[in-house]
Structure formats: C-alpha cells, structure tokens
Amino acid sequence: MAQLQKYGAGEALNVDAAPKWSVQTAVTTTNADSNHITIDPNLYHKIAVTASHPIHVVFDNTSNTTVSATNDLVLYGSKTHYLNVPVLGDAGDTVYFHFRRQGSQDAVVQMVLM
C-alpha cells in the first residue's frame, strides 16, 4: 500500500525520537575519494558525526555521489555534529551519507545513527 502522507505523525509534530540506535564502524579517510554509509530513514532520524580532522559531507539518494570540496558542507574536526537525516525523494527511500576528508590530512570518522 502506498504511503500518501509526506511526514509521519512524529515528524509533523517535530518530535525528536527514533526507534533505534546504531553505532557505525569508524572509517579512516585515506585519500580524496568519497566514503558513504547507508541510512534507513524509517529507523533513523539523526546522525551524530565526530571526525578527527575536517570533512566534507552531503546526503544523497544515490550511493555513487561525489562529495564536492567547493559546494558541500564542512564539519570541523574534534567536535560532535548532530545532523537530521533528510527526506530525499519518496518518504522512506534509502538515504546515503557521503563524506571525504578536507585537504590532505586523513580523518577518522565515527558515526552513530539515531
């Protein structure tokens, strides 16, 4: 059966809760290529990200997106950033969180889906 509403009741009321918590495997960015994790927006509404050095990030609905050093968001290292998982395409479609290091310094990226 098709989901006709754009947002669930919790999202429409701006309720900040998700049914699951998932610690992701830490990733070390070793070159300028993009890395990504897959997010099921039906289970996770936020992502907490900590990187040892600055990284560029972007959410997309495809797994092969290239992160842009010019246009995409920079998260500075040694801080925890909490980002809402956006709805991309139809509600419930898979979302990919892409990231790559900024500059030549490798970054260890730790993430928790909430």
Side-chain angles (χ1 to χ4, degrees), residues 6-81:
K6 184 172 181 178
Y7 298 104
E11 294 163 321
L13 296 172
N14 200 21
V15 175
D16 194 13
K20 295 204 175 230
W21 167 282
S22 178
V23 177
Q24 303 297 295
T25 302
V27 176
T28 300
T29 59
T30 57
N31 54 37
D33 293 337
S34 299
N35 297 282
H36 75 271
I37 63 167
T38 305
I39 303 171
D40 180 347
N42 294 312
L43 300 177
Y44 307 108
H45 301 151
K46 282 189 176 290
I47 181 171
V49 181
T50 302
S52 60
H53 295 86
I55 59 172
H56 292 278
V57 301
V58 66
F59 289 98
D60 203 349
N61 57 1
T62 61
S63 62
N64 60 352
T65 297
T66 300
V67 178
S68 169
T70 305
N71 297 324
D72 292 327
L73 184 66
V74 175
L75 300 182
Y76 288 98
S78 303
K79 296 181 179 183
T80 301
H81 303 272

